[in-house]
Amino acid sequence: MKYILVTGGVISGVGKGVIASSFGTILKSCGIQVTSIKIDPYINIDAGTFSPYEHGEVYVLDDGGEVDLDLGNYERFLDVTLHKDNNITTGKIYQSVITKERKGDYLGKTVQVVPHITDAIQEWVERVANQSVSQDGAKPQVCIVELGGTIGDIEGMPFVEAFRQFQFRVKRENFCCAHVSLVPQPRSTGEAKTKPTQSSVRELRGLGLSPDLVVCRSEKPINQDVKDKISNFCHVPPEQVVCIHDLSSIYRVPVLMEKQGMVEFFVERLQLNVQMPRPRKLINKWRDLADRVDSLRRDVKISLVGKYTKLEDSYASVTKALQHAAIDVGYNLKISYIEAADLEDSTNHSNPVQYHEAWQQLCKSDGVIVPGGFGKRGMEGKLAACAWCRKTKKPFLGVCLGLQAAVIEFSRNILKLENANSTEIDPETKHPVVIDMPEHTQGDMGGTMRLGKRKTIFCDKPQFTSKIRQLYSNKEYIEERHRHRYEVNKDYVEQLEAAGLKFVGTDEVGERMEILELEDHPYYVATQYHPEYLSRPLKPSPPFLGLILASVGRLNTFLTKGCKLSPRESDNDSDYIDSDMESNASKITNGDEVKSSEGQSASSSE
Ligand code: GLN
């Protein structure tokens, strides 16, 4: 097993995760099996209890692990399936050491950071690196280990010390270290500054780790002089200074790395046994994808109505899934993040400008997504967005809480169940159309939800052809990842279906409603699971693909042409545009023009 440790210097947030994933991508392009480990030196056991404002979204794995969003980058770049143990936290390491101590495994010794914690880290890394992460069960050959935070953080120290020891344990030809550092280019002088990189490399050396690669992140390309200077001051040969400036898309990162000879470096340094036919197919795929992204000329405007809109990372996978679908269909994604509470009547009273701006944004969009979320704030705004999409026939995708919102809105405004709600929002509601799942509400917040990969079985509905099922290639069942504690109350399903809200997918025993789809609507779909986690750049997630296709008026044609996109070169071909596109646009259907006490009416909001 070969290890590549990726550390960070100067500041965090310079794209260390993308750099580390790209190392994996270029190695994969030579046919090497790659796995990865992300280390987060915080004390939390996992990311499950974080607010999205802390570190961005909580990413969910097949096995139900709630982990850092960087694991999403690895899964998407490497097309692998990681396990919860691929995310190490200080909390997990201490928990395992303390459990051993209680069992008496340390035979009366004093348990200390060195050697017990550092040993536990090394054992964990070795154990997890050897686990297969691919469908065919192949054993990985290279493990990329990304150490979160920056060198010098107190919390990261035991990990740095563990790897200082680890390099001797696994031997030189099996371990190398890449240090990702920021090279600022202040506007006033226009010159690239190398001092911060020098100091962070010095600090890393002081801790006993010498970087084999210094990856310089900068805004603009770095010239040879600066590269030579970094090489000189940081004691690395110039060819081991890699410069990655800001690029038009992240898909260009592996391409640029390959161009700078990274593959040859790793093969030599880690004595990897590969034949490397050029051109490498996988790298070409990434290049084509990046070229395609750069050549997109038409826009599709999607509004995301959520609660954590101040930090875009809170919806990282949803945004990526929308992008994958938009690129596939040939459109440039323009996403506007709308704070759900701004769509509520109360905002109209306190800040009418904000309220009208939010509604204006919503009305200008081609499609709307209501993503997952927790708690009461903004819920009425989400319901208003659902109502508006339903009435104006605007393409809509609800995810998790988004599905629950669609059910609540429909119950209130079509079934006239006054103040219908989820017991998460209003435990006393007279019409609990969404209720908790008792086995997932045990008091503890961490790791107790209905989590991970589960089956959804499609159900046949008389006289109803499901669009979402066709988007999933008419499969009998699908497997997607979950993270929820509440579900649709089965007692209301019959009424909801009779009025046109069809539950086209359920769990294996037909108890849990997984997918809903509205009759007579271009695209009104919601899923209890989170389809965004399994979306890949070259394999967009079907519900997202449906949303984008419907938003640009191509869904029906796509479905009737056997789920094929128009050939790339004839993207403008009118044969591939739905003939009813015009009629779909912002039209209000009358029949259900209901004004509930809380709900927005479409006409009043436009
Ligand atoms: N709060 C809802 C539940 O627990 C939805 C969760 C989510 O959107 N991930 O069921």
Side-chain angles (χ1 to χ4, degrees), residues 372-374 399-401 404 424 449 483-486 530:
F374 294 83
V399 170
C400 206
L401 187 70
Q404 298 170 1
E424 176 183 12
M449 280 187 261
R483 181 173 187 248
H484 66 127
R485 192 168 273 129
Y486 295 82
H530 290 265

Side-chain angles (χ1 to χ4, degrees), residues 23 68 73 107 125 133 135 167 173 180 194-195 198 211 256 261 285 301 323 351 381 394 504 506 529 538 574:
F23 285 156
D68 184 84
N73 273 331
L107 306 173
V125 168
V133 289
Q135 306 261 308
Q167 61 187 337
E173 67 274 20
V180 183
T194 63
K195 194 54 79 38
Q198 292 177 38
L256 182 60
K285 268 195 188 167
K301 295 193 283 291
Q323 256 158 11
N351 191 340
K394 187 66 75 177
V504 296
T506 66
Y529 55 79
L538 301 165
S574 56

Side-chain angles (χ1 to χ4, degrees), residues 570-599:
S570 61
D571 266 353
N572 282 323
D573 194 342
S574 56
D575 277 2
Y576 289 89
I577 305 271
D578 292 353
S579 52
D580 58 347
M581 187 192 177
E582 238 66 71
S583 58
N584 287 345
S586 301
K587 196 176 71 179
I588 299 172
T589 47
N590 295 320
D592 57 357
E593 199 42 84
V594 186
K595 277 194 191 180
S596 73
S597 47
E598 294 92 351

